[in-house]
Amino acid sequence: MSAPLRADIRDAAQSDLSGILRIHQQAFGQAEEAALVRAILSDPTAQPTLSLLAEAEGRPLGHILFSRARLGSAPPDRAAAILAPLAVVPEAQGKRIGGALIAAGVERLCAAGTALVFVLGHPGYYRRFGFEPAGRLGLDAPYPIPAAQAEAWMVHALRPGLIGTLRGTVACCDALMRPELWRE
C-alpha cells in the first residue's frame, strides 16, 4: 500500500453524476457498475441513499453508494443498508480512499439510526472495516451466494448486541434484485 492520499469526502450532488460514473468506469474498466449506480440513484425503492464522493484538489477520486435494505420482518428500528458499489480511480487505489469512504458512510449511517450494513465484496478487504461473513450468522443475501463465494456476503452491525438476535433474508432495492449481481 502506498502513502495515504488526503481527500475531502462530501455528499454527492446530482451535478456530480457524470464524474461519479467516470470513477466507476475507470475503477472497473467497464460501464456495468456505472450503469448500476445510475439505476440505484434513480430507483425509488432504494431511497434513502447515501452517496459520498472523495475529492482531492477538486478532482473526483472515489465514490461509495449505500441504499436502503431491510431484513425480513425485522422491526423498523433495525434499518439496514447495502454498500454497492464502491470505486476508486486506479491512480488513487491503495491510498486509503476506499477505507475513508467506508468509514464516513458507516459513521453517517450509524448517526441516522441504521443498524446493519451489508456488502457483497472481497472478504480480505471489508473485514478490515468491521464486516464479517453474514450467511453463517443467519443473514441471507437476496439471492443464493455460490458456496465458493459465501464469505463475500458480509455484514457490519452498527449497534452492539444485534448479531445473533436477527435472522432472515435481506431485501434490497429493485435495481439490485437481479440474480447475476449476487456473485462476487
Side-chain angles (χ1 to χ4, degrees):
M1 181 182 297
S2 46
L5 180 63
R6 169 77 175 109
D8 296 313
I9 297 175
R10 65 172 175 82
D11 289 317
Q14 179 64 32
S15 60
D16 296 315
L17 185 59
S18 63
I20 288 168
L21 299 179
R22 266 194 309 280
I23 289 168
H24 288 275
Q25 288 172 327
Q26 290 174 11
F28 292 100
Q30 60 187 18
E32 192 174 315
E33 285 77 9
L36 180 61
V37 168
R38 185 186 295 274
I40 293 170
L41 288 172
S42 65
D43 183 348
T45 68
Q47 303 305 316
T49 59
L50 176 60
S51 178
L52 300 176
L53 184 63
E55 295 176 312
E57 299 175 4
R59 182 170 173 258
L61 299 176
H63 177 256
I64 193 168
L65 182 58
F66 298 88
S67 57
R68 183 175 69 95
R70 63 182 199 297
L71 180 61
S73 59
D77 70 334
R78 302 293 192 261
I82 291 184
L83 184 171
L86 165 65
V88 176
V89 295
E91 62 272 18
Q93 291 176 5
K95 297 184 179 187
R96 301 185 182 157
I97 300 293
L101 283 163
I102 293 168
V106 165
E107 181 179 312
R108 290 185 190 195
L109 289 170
C110 187
T114 300
L116 301 166
V117 178
F118 293 92
V119 68
L120 179 63
H122 192 280
Y125 181 74
Y126 287 100
R127 277 192 180 116
R128 297 185 304 182
F129 305 102
F131 288 85
E132 59 184 310
R136 63 175 130 163
L137 299 171
L139 305 168
D140 298 324
Y143 288 94
I145 304 292
Q149 300 167 343
E151 298 292 298
W153 173 240
M154 306 183 82
V155 64
H156 182 3
L158 305 185
R159 294 187 204 158
L162 282 180
I163 299 299
T165 66
L166 299 171
R167 298 180 88 62
T169 301
V170 173
C172 57
C173 68
D174 293 345
L176 289 173
M177 289 302 291
R178 298 189 344 241
E180 67 273 14
L181 297 175
W182 294 93
R183 287 164 185 73
E184 169 54 14

